[in-house]
Amino acid sequence: MSTRLYAFVGGNIGLWQIVRTETIVGEPLLEAKRLNVVSGSEVQPETNAPWVLRGITSNERYVERSEKSAIVAKQQGLARPEATCAALIPIRKNAAWWELTQDERRSVLEEQSKHIQIGLKYLPAVARRLHHCRDLSENEPFDFLNWFEYAPIHEVEFNRLLSELRASEEWKYVEREVDIRLRREDV
Amino acid sequence: MSTRLYAFVGGNIGLWQIVRTETIVGEPLLEAKRLNVVSGSEVQPETNAPWVLRGITSNERYVERSEKSAIVAKQQGLARPEATCAALIPIRKNAAWWELTQDERRSVLEEQSKHIQIGLKYLPAVARRLHHCRDLSENEPFDFLNWFEYAPIHEVEFNRLLSELRASEEWKYVEREVDIRLRREDV
């Protein structure tokens, strides 16, 4: 069975150095120096780490087949040698979002906010993996953990991607967001 | 915060007597006499119970606003005094289902299978709560736990509801299903 569960551990160890943490909205996270990404059954990390965020990859919730085909044709995988920059962006949406029905959420996400179309423009430069947290337990601090990897040369584009999304109708439903930027040494 | 996480514990204690367990498809569950439904933080049940199934209530995945309005107008809640019959029907869908995109799953579930419209016909006689398991961890034995309550007089209708659903296109994706019928004493 493939790995679906990941823990993102903010502490003193890990491949990724935390270079900047910006609280976009809501409660901040505690300070940490490095990020350790732990998968599946290994999720018994540093017990005294300032924070541990868990998420699980899952089925598509909004993407339709034609969009999926366009994404698959353009996207690249994680762990490319040149992608020495990463961002971990945990997000929580408000109660009003979760009370919307499926057609209403799709309408806000794509018809009104162009979330999928905006993301497509930044492929293949930005690679992404989405982790869901909301249904792991009743008490998760975020709903989603967004993980992005890109080469340093594409940082300006990555920032533009975030600006476009944050200006959208969908982001009116975001009640907590922290933007954590990371670097690793070249291999 | 309202309770979302539930454990269904098959063992020797609990409000509900297990009167019949039928394996519809896939691996059976072990024998048990009674079912204990435990909520939220109390989920530290009988440690030597034959089985414990966990699930969490979540946002709507397919229902659209017009359907939701029709459901809300007709449905009744759980724990009605006359509803002394219950059914716990855990289900797992196959990999092909989870690889479908959102539009494809909606098409199979409703346009082809009329899942929502069939369910509506049996309201308010049958009350229901859906629990999701697939994203609780990587190793859950089922994807969903369906919980139903109804009065003994409505058992025939409840069986017809299940027959209609099991004959649908959607059920071709079901790879494990166990049908557990329960009774409790009149209050």
Side-chain angles (χ1 to χ4, degrees):
Chain A
M1 192 177 53
S2 63
T3 296
R4 295 175 54 217
L5 185 65
Y6 295 85
F8 296 84
V9 185
N12 291 313
I13 61 165
L15 177 67
W16 296 94
Q17 183 198 348
I18 297 177
V19 293
R20 189 168 61 81
T21 298
E22 186 184 358
T23 304
I24 308 296
V25 60
E27 202 187 334
L29 285 173
L30 293 175
E31 290 279 318
K33 287 189 179 144
R34 298 192 76 91
L35 179 76
N36 195 19
V37 184
V38 186
S39 71
S41 51
E42 303 162 44
V43 178
Q44 288 293 355
E46 275 189 278
T47 48
N48 55 354
W51 47 264
V52 179
L53 302 175
R54 297 184 312 141
I56 190 162
T57 61
S58 187
N59 59 294
E60 310 279 7
R61 305 291 164 90
Y62 301 103
V63 166
E64 301 184 351
R65 179 56 63 189
S66 59
E67 295 158 346
K68 177 81 177 176
S69 302
I71 291 168
V72 168
K74 281 190 77 181
Q75 75 184 352
Q76 290 194 1
L78 298 180
R80 291 170 292 177
E82 70 275 22
T84 56
C85 294
L88 174 65
I89 308 190
I91 280 181
R92 189 171 68 215
K93 285 178 170 170
N94 64 19
W97 174 261
W98 295 111
E99 282 156 19
L100 296 178
T101 53
Q102 179 67 32
D103 55 324
E104 292 170 334
R105 277 180 281 108
R106 163 78 196 186
S107 170
V108 173
L109 184 134
E110 190 58 16
E111 277 67 61
Q112 297 174 53
S113 303
K114 309 286 179 208
H115 187 138
I116 297 163
Q117 291 307 314
I118 290 169
L120 255 178
K121 290 194 297 181
Y122 297 92
L123 297 180
V126 178
R128 170 177 178 263
R129 189 169 65 207
L130 175 63
H131 312 77
H132 296 259
C133 333
R134 186 164 186 266
D135 292 341
L136 279 177
S137 81
E138 290 177 324
N139 303 304
E140 297 300 317
F142 294 96
D143 293 329
F144 309 101
L145 309 178
N146 290 281
W147 176 258
F148 304 94
E149 292 179 5
Y150 48 93
I153 198 176
H154 292 124
E155 186 164 24
V156 172
E157 286 165 85
F158 179 67
N159 288 332
R160 199 179 307 133
L161 162 61
L162 295 184
S163 297
E164 287 198 63
L165 289 173
R166 287 176 184 151
S168 73
E169 186 67 21
E170 185 190 349
W171 248 250
K172 294 180 180 169
Y173 295 90
V174 173
E175 66 176 17
R176 189 176 183 194
E177 178 177 8
V178 183
D179 184 337
I180 304 158
R181 299 300 177 94
L182 308 127
R183 290 296 292 263
R184 63 172 170 79
E185 287 69 41
D186 277 300
V187 182
Chain B
M1 195 178 50
S2 63
T3 296
R4 295 175 54 217
L5 185 66
Y6 295 85
F8 295 84
V9 185
N12 291 313
I13 62 165
L15 178 68
W16 296 94
Q17 183 197 350
I18 297 178
V19 293
R20 190 169 61 79
T21 299
E22 187 184 357
T23 304
I24 308 297
V25 61
E27 201 187 335
L29 284 173
L30 293 174
E31 290 278 318
K33 288 190 177 142
R34 299 192 74 90
L35 179 76
N36 195 19
V37 185
V38 186
S39 70
S41 50
E42 302 162 45
V43 179
Q44 287 295 350
E46 275 189 278
T47 48
N48 55 353
W51 47 265
V52 179
L53 302 176
R54 297 184 312 140
I56 190 161
T57 61
S58 187
N59 58 295
E60 310 280 6
R61 304 291 164 92
Y62 301 104
V63 166
E64 301 184 351
R65 178 56 64 190
S66 59
E67 295 158 346
K68 177 80 177 176
S69 301
I71 291 168
V72 168
K74 281 190 78 182
Q75 75 184 353
Q76 289 193 3
L78 297 180
R80 290 170 294 177
E82 70 275 22
T84 57
C85 295
L88 173 64
I89 307 189
I91 280 181
R92 189 171 66 216
K93 286 179 170 168
N94 64 18
W97 174 262
W98 295 112
E99 281 157 19
L100 296 178
T101 52
Q102 178 68 31
D103 55 325
E104 291 169 334
R105 278 181 279 110
R106 163 77 195 187
S107 170
V108 173
L109 184 133
E110 189 58 16
E111 278 67 61
Q112 298 174 52
S113 304
K114 309 287 180 206
H115 187 138
I116 297 163
Q117 290 308 313
I118 290 170
L120 255 178
K121 290 194 297 181
Y122 297 93
L123 298 181
V126 178
R128 171 176 177 264
R129 191 171 62 208
L130 175 63
H131 313 77
H132 296 259
C133 333
R134 186 165 186 264
D135 292 341
L136 279 177
S137 81
E138 289 176 326
N139 304 303
E140 297 300 317
F142 294 96
D143 293 330
F144 309 100
L145 308 177
N146 290 283
W147 176 258
F148 303 95
E149 292 180 4
Y150 49 93
I153 199 177
H154 291 124
E155 186 164 24
V156 172
E157 286 164 85
F158 179 66
N159 288 333
R160 199 178 307 132
L161 162 62
L162 295 183
S163 297
E164 288 198 63
L165 290 173
R166 287 176 184 151
S168 72
E169 186 67 22
E170 184 190 349
W171 248 250
K172 294 180 182 169
Y173 295 90
V174 172
E175 67 176 17
R176 189 176 183 194
E177 178 176 8
V178 183
D179 183 337
I180 303 157
R181 298 299 176 95
L182 309 127
R183 290 296 293 264
R184 62 172 170 80
E185 288 68 43
D186 278 300
V187 183

